[in-house]
Amino acid sequence: MNRIRKGDQVLVITGKNKGQRGDVLRVAGERVFVSNVNLVKRHTKPNPQANQAGGIVEREASIHLSNVQLFNPATNKGERVGTKTLADGRKVRVFRSSGEVVDA
C-alpha cells in the first residue's frame, strides 16, 4: 500500500520548494508530481498532429517520495503515515502521530 496516492494533499519538506503544498497529480514509482510545485520550463516543438503549439511550456517536474509528507488538515502540518488493518480486514492509512485514519 502506498503512503502517498493521487489526489492527496502533500507538503514538501526539503529542497528548493520546501514549505510548498499541493495535490498529487500522479505517482510514478518512487516519484510524485505535485500541482504547482517544482515547476520547470520545457522547450517544445510544435506538433500539428497533436494540435500542440510550440514554445516554452511551464510544467511540474517530479519530486522523490522521501521529500514530501502527507498534509494533515487537523494539525495543519505534514505528518508521517503508517498502515493499519481494521477488524473487517481492510488496510487503511493512518497518521503516526495521532492514529487518525486518513482513508474514509
Side-chain angles (χ1 to χ4, degrees), residues 3-93:
R3 296 177 199 278
I4 306 285
R5 294 182 188 164
K6 179 181 175 180
D8 285 345
Q9 193 168 41
V10 294
L11 180 72
V12 180
I13 56 173
T14 57
K16 67 178 183 181
N17 298 298
K18 181 178 180 175
Q20 290 186 8
R21 208 167 71 195
D23 294 321
V24 175
L25 300 172
R26 66 185 167 116
V27 179
E30 289 191 347
R31 302 189 75 81
V32 291
F33 291 83
V34 183
S35 62
N36 297 321
V37 176
N38 198 22
L39 294 173
V40 294
K41 290 184 184 333
R42 172 108 171 111
H43 296 70
T44 58
K45 287 174 106 174
N47 186 351
Q49 294 171 338
N51 203 13
Q52 185 180 30
I56 301 172
V57 178
E58 203 167 29
R59 66 178 190 184
E60 293 89 2
S62 66
I63 303 173
H64 196 269
L65 271 175
S66 65
N67 297 333
V68 296
Q69 279 187 331
L70 194 61
F71 183 74
N72 187 351
T75 60
N76 219 24
K77 293 180 182 177
E79 295 190 7
R80 296 187 301 158
V81 178
T83 58
K84 192 178 194 178
T85 306
L86 298 178
D88 61 357
R90 288 188 302 140
K91 280 179 88 175
V92 292
R93 297 180 297 166

Side-chain angles (χ1 to χ4, degrees), residues 89-103:
R90 288 188 302 140
K91 280 179 88 175
V92 292
R93 297 180 297 166
V94 294
F95 287 115
R96 292 247 179 104
S97 61
S98 61
E100 177 187 345
V101 176
V102 177
D103 307 314

